Amino acid sequence: MEKKAIALKYPEGFTAPVVTAKGNGPAAERIIELAKENEIYIKEDTELINLLSFCQEGELVMEEAWEALAVIFAFILKEGD
């Protein structure tokens, strides 16, 4: 199965995270490599990536993904304490 990756950012003042990059195969590998180099949290979740794959770069994440993302962001914030 081809690897997929989607990068998100949650800018202050936005109502939801924004898709900043997405890719398959070599592009996905590069997104993951950059995340690791910059110590950005990586979450492997096939269902979530399939849902987020409907979003385009620069778009807000659809409401259907908010609950799953809230759990991930809460985990990241807790780990940062």
Side-chain angles (χ1 to χ4, degrees):
M1 177 177 267
E2 186 175 52
K3 188 166 282 258
K4 297 178 183 180
I6 297 178
L8 303 175
K9 183 175 185 173
Y10 202 157
E12 189 172 327
F14 278 61
T15 57
V18 176
V19 175
T20 57
K22 61 186 272 187
N24 299 326
E29 294 289 348
R30 183 66 181 141
I31 291 168
I32 294 166
E33 179 182 320
L34 287 170
K36 288 178 180 177
E37 288 174 8
N38 290 283
E39 299 180 359
I40 295 171
Y41 179 78
I42 299 170
K43 170 72 173 163
E44 292 187 34
D45 186 319
T46 303
E47 289 181 37
L48 185 56
I49 200 146
N50 287 337
L51 180 61
L52 294 176
S53 67
F54 291 101
C55 298
Q56 299 301 313
E57 289 181 29
E59 287 184 348
L60 293 177
V61 169
M62 76 257 303
E63 192 171 339
E64 293 84 359
W66 289 4
E67 185 176 340
L69 290 174
V71 171
I72 294 168
F73 285 123
F75 174 79
I76 293 168
L77 291 172
K78 183 178 179 184
E79 289 295 307
D81 289 344

